[in-house]
Amino acid sequence: MIGNERHSLPGVIGGDLLRHAKIPLLLLVAVLISAVLVVTTAHKTRLLTAQREQLVLERDALDIEWRNLILEENALGDHSRVERTATEKLQMQHVDPAQENIVVQQ
């Protein structure tokens, strides 16, 4: 009656693998796990690289803005420019400190 037994093919293959091919089966599982980890790591690396590039572009834009602000500050803080603006637009005159005392005392 042993010859009339019916076995399923997946069951026979699984049984043979567990009995005779434990090391190759473990190696297959290890290869599959490492392949998934490599793909995951590559994906995360690409995301981080894209994020880094975006941050570098943002830093460059902020650096340009900072330089422009420094130039603007220097231009606005220039004493000769302020003095010229005061005399031309506001018709102000330079006051001598010695003459100022005379005016205040009167």
Side-chain angles (χ1 to χ4, degrees):
M1 291 284 283
I2 293 176
N4 289 341
E5 290 182 27
R6 295 194 68 103
H7 298 284
S8 66
L9 183 60
V12 172
I13 292 173
D16 284 345
L17 284 175
L18 290 177
R19 270 183 264 137
H20 303 294
K22 289 181 183 175
I23 292 178
L25 189 60
L26 288 174
L27 290 175
L28 176 66
V29 170
V31 166
L32 291 176
I33 290 172
S34 67
V36 169
L37 291 175
V38 165
V39 169
T40 303
T41 303
H43 178 67
K44 287 181 181 178
T45 302
R46 286 187 184 129
L47 289 177
L48 289 173
T49 302
Q51 183 180 10
R52 180 184 179 277
E53 289 298 321
Q54 183 66 31
L55 289 173
V56 166
L57 290 174
E58 185 178 335
R59 183 196 65 194
D60 290 344
L62 290 173
D63 190 40
I64 290 170
E65 184 178 351
W66 173 255
R67 289 179 188 169
N68 288 337
L69 288 172
I70 293 294
L71 289 173
E72 183 179 347
E73 180 183 27
N74 289 338
L76 292 175
D78 188 16
H79 294 294
S80 63
R81 182 182 177 278
V82 172
E83 186 175 350
R84 186 177 60 245
T85 303
T87 56
E88 290 174 1
K89 292 185 180 178
L90 301 176
Q91 287 77 34
M92 295 179 130
Q93 297 176 358
H94 183 60
V95 176
D96 186 19
Q99 291 177 354
E100 184 178 304
N101 289 336
I102 295 171
V103 173
V104 172
Q105 290 174 357
Q106 292 175 354

